[in-house]
Amino acid sequence: MSLGEFELISNYFLKTCNNPDLIVANGDDAAVIRSQAHLAVAADTLVSGVHFPENADAALIARRALRVNLSDMAAMAARPKWFTLSLTMPTANPVWLEQFSRGLFADAERFGCHLIGGDTTKGPLNIAIQVLGEIPADQTGLRRSGAIAGDLMVVTGTLGGAGAALESDLCADWDNESEDSLLRRYWLPEPRLEFASHCQHLIHAALDISDGLLADAGHICSQSGVDAQINLDCLPLSTEVMDCWGVRAGLRAITSGDDYELCMAVPQPCWAEMQKVARKLDVPVTILGEFTPVSGSLPSVTMLDNRGKPIEISSSGYHHF
């Protein structure tokens, strides 16, 4: 069955939204929304064969595409409200589209985020999502630029699971029913939205870990004008990651991407309160090290071994080009 653009949108992506803040909904030339808060806007593009395996399950592709964008909202302590979808695909396959839209709207409903527009076109498969979130007018949200020397470096969750999953031959064939935790970490990263909302007053700076801890911690350092020291033995690694990578697990985990956990600069007096909130929300948090005054010509991140000695790292993380 051949589908035209407007029939495709109507069949799979035109959903009724009764939110009173949506003045003009999906289906017009542009959506119009009402907001009395600050708007946070983030966008990510996922390309087949680069950001997800070719021929992967369509519902999982959709869920992953939305979740990695929602993770950006968590890093800013913004509440996601709306998103747009620009979908490029080689053919308008009804079976694929039904699975994709089912996965997309399942997570959109779970996270309270509404599709309000976008575009469809023919070409190699890629998914571009833009999320709009709200930050209360009396708040500024979180940024990368607020870390100060003496702050603790803290991460949520565990690291390296998604990177280890990418080395699995089963990554493209996961059916969402398997209990394989590494594959779940890759396909269904958990945006730390609630944690960020409850803890933003305890955090000086934050970002989500997408290109690897070493590279992303470096972004906080460069934008905050501080150095950082990370203790390799403090990395939160799951048993599955240890089994996959063995004695090299720590070094592999700091440069593997797709974790979508939060890396934060936390004032030391706030650590106890953050732990209480984390336990209540069942979100693991771990101190990896601390931010320090800049010692060289440029801000940098140093990895330390169990004797406190610097470790030479050959790769800093994922690079897009």
Side-chain angles (χ1 to χ4, degrees), residues 6 63 65 70 72-73 113 141 180 182 201 259 291 301 318:
F6 298 108
R63 297 179 70 184
L70 295 179
D72 285 330
M73 292 289 106
C113 197
D180 190 309
L182 297 183
H201 64 293
D259 283 316
F291 294 93
V301 180
Y318 178 77

Side-chain angles (χ1 to χ4, degrees), residues 43-47 51 69 126-129:
D44 273 301
T45 299
L46 275 67
V47 179
H51 302 104
N69 279 275
N126 70 82
I127 299 98
I129 289 180

